[in-house]
Amino acid sequence: MKHLVLIGFMGSGKSSLALKISQLYSIPVFSTDSAIIEEMGMSISDIFKDYGEKFFRLKENKIFAKIRNLSSLHIIDCGGGFGAYQNVTSLGKVIFLDLEFEEIMQRMSLRERFKRPLFDNLQSAYQLFLQRRKLYAQRAEIRFRSIEDLKDLFEEELNFK
Ligand code: S3P
C-alpha cells in the first residue's frame, strides 16, 4: 500500500496539514507520535525523560512495521525523527513540509515547544534542523512550503479529486 507520507521538522505543521488533507479528501491519518503515546500511555516528553531517546527510536521502529501492515490508504503524519531515520520512501509518496527555522519558531507556541524534548536547547535544535533538512530533502518526492497550495498540490500533482 502506497500512503501519503508527511515529513518535516518539529513544529512545521505536519499534524495540521494531515488533518486538513484528511478532511478534504476523507483519508484517515496515522500519526506515529500518537501511536507511541497511545501504546505507552505517556506523553513524549515523559517517555524521553523516563526511558531516553534511544528507547523512543526503538518504538518508532515498531511503528514503522505497523504502518507496513496497514491495508488501506492513510496519511502518515511522521514525527520529525521518524521522517529522517526510517525508510519512509518505502511507505509511499513522501511529502516534505519545508519551512525555515524562523518560520517554525514563529508558528510554535511555548506550550508546543515544551512538548518537544529536542527543543529544550534552541541552539542544538537549530543544528538538528540543519542536519535533518538534508535528510528530508533526500527522501522527499514533493517539497511543499505553504498550506495555501494544498489544493493545487493534491489536484494537480497527485491527481486527487
Ligand atoms: C521528534 C519529533 C517529534 C517527536 C519527538 C522527537 C524529532 O514529533 O516525535 O519529540 O526527533 O524530531 P513532531 O515532529 O511531530 O514534533
Side-chain angles (χ1 to χ4, degrees):
M1 173 56 59
K2 290 276 177 204
H3 302 289
L4 295 170
V5 186
L6 293 185
I7 65 169
F9 201 61
M10 294 176 269
S12 55
K14 294 171 300 240
S15 301
S16 319
L17 180 62
L19 196 68
K20 223 169 195 154
I21 301 169
S22 174
Q23 285 164 350
L24 272 173
Y25 300 100
S26 306
I27 309 168
V29 177
F30 183 103
S31 153
T32 63
D33 283 347
S34 303
I36 295 173
I37 292 168
E38 210 169 284
E39 188 198 311
M40 294 293 295
M42 292 168 86
S43 69
I44 290 183
S45 50
D46 283 343
I47 298 172
F48 268 65
K49 193 154 39 92
D50 292 356
Y51 300 103
E53 180 174 351
K54 227 178 188 168
F55 175 89
F56 181 78
R57 300 298 171 206
L58 292 174
K59 285 283 165 203
E60 287 187 319
N61 294 343
K62 288 206 173 134
I63 296 301
F64 180 83
K66 219 174 189 174
I67 296 170
R68 291 193 71 102
N69 286 330
L70 293 173
S71 56
S72 63
L73 171 70
H74 281 70
I75 301 154
I76 313 297
D77 173 14
C78 298
F82 192 97
Y85 308 134
Q86 300 288 331
N87 182 8
V88 283
T89 49
S90 70
L91 297 177
K93 209 173 253 297
V94 178
I95 304 172
F96 170 23
L97 187 52
D98 185 16
L99 267 68
E100 299 298 334
F101 193 72
E102 292 72 25
E103 293 175 296
I104 290 173
M105 291 307 297
Q106 276 166 15
R107 66 176 303 284
M108 219 173 21
S109 66
L110 263 187
R111 191 165 165 270
E112 286 297 311
R113 253 174 74 183
F114 285 141
K115 280 193 208 161
R116 295 169 166 93
L118 297 177
F119 245 105
D120 283 352
N121 178 315
L122 219 52
Q123 198 53 38
S124 42
Y126 181 61
Q127 290 309 317
L128 191 62
F129 169 85
L130 295 176
Q131 291 165 22
R132 292 269 187 85
R133 196 175 207 181
K134 292 185 197 134
L135 297 174
Y136 298 140
Q138 282 165 9
R139 287 157 174 69
E141 198 168 321
I142 296 170
R143 262 195 206 213
F144 185 64
R145 288 204 40 86
S146 149
I147 210 159
E148 276 74 55
D149 305 334
L150 184 70
K151 276 205 141 195
D152 292 348
L153 172 80
F154 270 74
E155 295 181 5
E156 285 166 27
E157 273 200 69
L158 297 173
N159 256 326
F160 268 83
K161 290 269 156 84

